[in-house]
Amino acid sequence: MTALVFDCDGVLADTERYGHLPAFNQTFREFALPMQWSEEAYGAALGIGGDKERMRALLTPEFVAQAGLPTDPDGQAAEIAKWHARKTELYVELARTGRLPPRPGIARIVAEASAAGWRLAVCSTSAEPSVRAILEHAVGAETADRFLVLAGDVVPAKKPAPDIYLLALERLGVATTECVVIEDSRNGLLAATRAGLTTVVTVNGYTRGEDASEATLVVTSLGDPESQPIEVLADRHGISPRDYVSLSHLKACLHANV
């Protein structure tokens, strides 16, 4: 049995710049918090895995005093929970209204894998409602129902820890040699490869400059026939996709790492 596992943000759709960032900033405004992330500052914050973890990193003594926040850990945790709930609502609304279009090749490669009997999963540090909204928009509700979705706090140690991918292997019932992951970031790549998984990286504007040396294949997107050809940034085993990445290319990635 073979499995295809996707990260969500930056892989299924270009969600960071056009979804998460505006949802974070709207949340900060609604709660009168002294923070508005620029695109550059948010890019730096992406080095921290998880929405709540990014929010928690803001809580310097100066920020807490300026915002009039509780100083005790329980009080701060309660505030973060409120911010995160509202941010998730805003993000899901963006996703469901179709303002976060899927990245090239996602619907196609999922259809190919499903037809071939591959198991499908998404592993993400984002909240589960956010992930499901993006997934349904990207592949359709019926196809989305075939996915195992592991998201949010399903494991305590988030990417770049391998825990979420180890859990996916267990839940999917597949061996490391029969599972290929599509990721977009350094943290996600490390999480997948530390779990022993073959990984293809589809970069985006935030992650193109990151080290992806552990990836079997690095491309600008999965691409689609009769659309703009992809750019191959690294091909360490001679997989040689041309205009787009097909299921046969993903199989070749698996065989190259056996």
Side-chain angles (χ1 to χ4, degrees):
M1 184 64 66
T2 310
L4 177 57
V5 182
F6 298 86
D7 176 40
C8 178
D9 297 311
V11 171
L12 297 182
D14 194 359
T15 58
E16 297 293 6
R17 180 176 279 106
Y18 303 111
H20 287 291
L21 175 56
F24 271 118
N25 282 340
Q26 178 64 28
T27 300
F28 296 152
R29 289 192 293 270
E30 291 184 9
F31 284 89
L33 298 172
M35 172 57 67
Q36 286 289 283
W37 269 321
S38 66
E39 288 191 1
E40 183 179 2
Y42 182 63
L46 290 175
I48 302 169
D51 288 357
K52 287 182 284 188
E53 289 76 8
R54 289 175 200 140
M55 291 174 169
R56 191 172 297 117
L58 299 174
L59 299 183
T60 63
E62 295 78 13
F63 185 95
V64 168
Q66 188 176 354
L69 299 173
T71 56
D72 63 291
D74 289 344
Q76 290 181 355
E79 291 297 312
I80 290 171
K82 289 190 290 186
W83 305 342
H84 183 252
R86 178 55 179 154
K87 184 263 173 180
T88 299
E89 290 176 350
L90 292 166
Y91 178 85
V92 169
E93 181 181 352
L94 284 170
R96 287 179 174 164
T97 54
R99 282 179 276 179
L100 304 174
R103 294 197 68 195
I106 293 298
R108 173 185 57 79
I109 206 77
V110 166
E112 291 179 10
S114 181
W118 288 32
R119 295 184 178 178
L120 300 165
V122 175
C123 291
S124 173
T125 58
S126 291
E128 185 171 339
S130 300
V131 174
R132 289 193 180 277
I134 291 295
L135 179 61
E136 288 181 8
H137 184 63
V139 303
E142 182 178 346
T143 302
D145 285 341
R146 302 173 195 165
F147 277 73
L148 167 70
V149 175
L150 300 177
D153 298 325
V154 68
V155 291
K158 296 186 177 180
K159 301 175 186 179
D163 301 39
I164 196 165
Y165 284 116
L166 294 173
L167 180 61
L169 288 170
E170 179 185 332
R171 296 276 184 89
L172 291 168
V174 297
T176 57
T177 54
E178 293 298 328
C179 181
V180 61
V181 173
I182 312 294
E183 270 284 359
D184 72 309
S185 69
R186 178 73 183 157
N187 276 350
L189 171 62
L190 288 175
T193 54
R194 286 171 178 172
L197 300 176
T198 296
T199 308
V200 172
V201 169
T202 58
V203 299
N204 58 60
Y206 276 126
T207 64
R208 181 162 181 150
E210 293 183 352
D211 178 12
S213 55
E214 297 87 351
T216 299
L217 184 67
V218 183
V219 291
T220 48
S221 75
L222 296 176
D224 276 314
E226 302 179 2
S227 65
Q228 182 175 352
I230 64 171
E231 183 179 353
V232 179
L233 304 178
D235 182 2
R236 295 185 173 87
H237 296 283
I239 306 303
S240 301
R242 297 186 63 183
D243 295 341
Y244 62 95
V245 176
S246 68
L247 196 66
S248 63
H249 293 128
L250 297 185
K251 291 178 182 177
C253 288
L254 280 174
H255 296 155
N257 286 312
V258 172

